[in-house]
Amino acid sequence: MSKIHNYSAGPCILPPEVLAEASAAVSEWDGHGLSLIEMSHRSKPFVAVMDECRALTKELLGLPDRFDILYLQGGASLGFLTAAYNFLPEGGQAAYTDTGTWANKAIKEAKHLGTVDVVTSSKASTYDHIPALGEVDPRNAYLHITTNNTIYGTQYAEMPSSNVPLVADMSSDILSRTFDPEPFALIYGGVQKNMGPAGAVMYAVDTERLGATGRSIPAYLDLKVHLDKDSMFNTPPVFSVFTTMLTLRWLKAQGGVAAIQAKNEAKSALLYAEIDRNPLFVGHAQEGSRSHMNVTFRLTDDAHAAAFDALWNDAGISGLKGHRSVGGYRASMYNALPLDSVQVLVDVMNELERSRG
Ligand SMILES: Cc1ncc(COP(=O)(O)O)c(C=O)c1O
């Protein structure tokens, strides 16, 4: 079979060496005589996996000591509610930025627990940019941001400066670029893009800011309960955590986040240059808000759709269709996608221009 160039938005491409090691461990894990997924999560070898996964996450994100890491179930969708439960005080309010579909879901969940102050929005222009942010009312316990908007293909070029602590859904750009963790109280993200296979959500929690809401929190939603149990309050998603640990080892061996950021920037620069050059294509996101992870674009004339779709399918490209809510195309270029795959897509876009010219 010829090579597939996997542009899926998530679950998505993972490094081949990670897939090889993970699949071997599902058959028989490291001389233990059992599959990874038929061993107790309380066994010594798996506890070591959880510990390494948490430690590597903190190291690669460059987080100070006050942060601690959790790997739980429920995805980022449960993270929307968990974030509010743990940081939105009883009777209080929090600021949210409205930058797309996932940001809206976060807003909706927080409204179960308090007042939500939507401080900025790019809805009026179909979420084609990251909207400017003024001073946030200091009565807000935190400012929630979605650092990368997977569906619309926008991303904060720089993390916003804020007069209140930041809470961030980083599901689709975590570990793709360096940032200053200082203003953050909580970072969370489903692992199924840059970190590993679906099944877990990662929380990086500022332990010094935790426990100040004055509310009674159901056990599974209480981050302190999970921290006190070293992320083993209940059965963790063992395969997802193990494979995430392998992906983190891989990332470290690549030179860490700064090194992968340089590669990610080279990949997105190549594709955006072609979108800007080729008269058959137009990008969705405004310059200055363009995502390095999810590049959204469309044809200037839909009459070319059948020809373009045939060309990229023939080239072994998969997962290029835009999200069903917006249409067009979306090239998701997570950490494990090689530059070669981007070149194949650019060549196909060129080929379309030649064939239509
Ligand atoms: C930015 C962002 N937030 C949240 C989610 C939801 O994640 P999950 O499916 O883990 O609940 C996604 C899923 O793609 C996402 O891209």
Side-chain angles (χ1 to χ4, degrees):
M1 199 177 80
S2 65
K3 183 176 170 186
I4 297 288
H5 304 283
N6 185 0
Y7 281 95
S8 175
C12 61
I13 188 165
L14 288 172
E17 48 273 59
V18 167
L19 294 181
E21 204 174 334
S23 25
V26 169
S27 297
E28 196 272 324
W29 182 29
D30 214 14
H32 300 302
L34 291 172
S35 163
L36 165 81
I37 57 171
E38 56 181 6
M39 251 170 99
S40 168
H41 61 291
R42 309 235 176 247
S43 64
K44 244 184 161 176
F46 187 78
V47 170
V49 166
M50 180 62 97
D51 289 349
E52 182 177 344
C53 194
R54 296 171 75 203
L56 272 175
T57 308
K58 189 164 166 177
E59 178 188 334
L60 287 164
L61 286 171
L63 300 176
D65 275 354
R66 62 189 168 85
F67 280 89
D68 209 344
I69 307 295
L70 294 170
Y71 280 94
L72 308 179
Q73 302 189 30
S77 295
L78 190 58
F80 300 148
L81 187 62
T82 306
Y85 252 119
N86 287 272
F87 290 96
L88 180 48
E90 185 81 61
Q93 68 180 63
Y96 276 69
T97 53
D98 171 23
T99 54
T101 308
W102 297 112
N104 270 287
K105 293 192 185 211
I107 289 168
K108 200 170 161 204
E109 294 304 297
K111 281 183 176 167
H112 287 293
L113 297 174
T115 304
V116 171
D117 181 10
V118 178
V119 288
T120 191
S121 172
S122 50
K123 186 176 182 182
S125 60
T126 330
Y127 298 114
D128 67 350
H129 67 286
I130 299 293
L133 192 66
E135 179 101 346
V136 171
D137 182 335
R139 280 176 301 177
N140 288 300
Y142 59 83
L143 169 68
H144 183 280
I145 59 170
T146 312
T147 53
N148 183 73
N149 298 281
T150 326
I151 293 175
Y152 294 94
T154 62
Q155 185 179 28
Y156 285 83
E158 303 282 339
M159 298 299 175
S161 61
S162 168
N163 51 314
V164 298
L166 291 176
V167 169
D169 172 7
M170 288 197 191
S171 292
S172 53
D173 66 351
I174 188 117
L175 294 167
S176 70
R177 57 170 172 168
T178 59
F179 64 93
D180 173 13
E182 199 41 47
F184 290 88
L186 176 71
I187 294 163
Y188 65 98
V191 304
Q192 65 273 15
K193 299 170 201 297
N194 276 331
M195 301 184 87
V201 50
M202 187 282 298
Y203 295 93
V205 191
D206 177 349
T207 54
E208 290 173 7
R209 286 185 169 119
L210 200 59
T213 62
R215 53 171 89 246
S216 154
I217 307 178
Y220 196 84
L221 300 176
D222 188 343
L223 293 174
K224 191 160 182 338
V225 166
H226 292 287
L227 289 169
D228 288 346
K229 299 285 184 193
D230 290 328
S231 209
M232 292 276 200
F233 167 69
N234 71 332
T235 315
V238 290
F239 179 75
S240 184
V241 172
F242 175 75
T243 310
T244 297
M245 178 203 71
L246 296 180
T247 312
L248 295 173
R249 281 185 185 164
W250 170 87
L251 179 56
K252 189 170 172 177
Q254 301 295 302
V257 176
I260 212 79
Q261 176 172 0
K263 289 183 184 167
N264 288 334
E265 286 172 1
K267 289 184 291 183
S268 60
L270 180 62
L271 183 51
Y272 283 121
E274 178 61 16
I275 290 169
D276 290 343
R277 185 209 63 76
N278 191 323
L280 300 189
F281 295 95
V282 61
H284 176 70
Q286 288 182 20
E287 236 164 297
S289 297
R290 286 173 155 185
S291 170
H292 296 285
M293 295 281 99
N294 311 97
V295 177
T296 46
F297 58 101
R298 34 182 91 245
L299 287 160
T300 44
D301 182 348
D302 281 338
H304 302 314
F308 182 50
D309 293 352
L311 280 174
W312 60 260
N313 272 297
D314 288 351
I317 288 172
S318 139
L320 197 66
K321 285 277 186 189
H323 189 268
R324 60 193 179 284
S325 62
V326 296
Y329 299 94
R330 171 175 55 176
S332 295
M333 309 195 297
Y334 297 116
N335 287 352
L337 186 85
L339 183 64
D340 292 357
S341 289
V342 184
Q343 189 60 56
V344 169
L345 174 56
V346 167
D347 290 347
V348 160
M349 293 164 81
N350 263 291
E351 174 62 26
L352 184 74
E353 186 189 15
R354 269 195 304 275
S355 69
R356 303 277 123 177

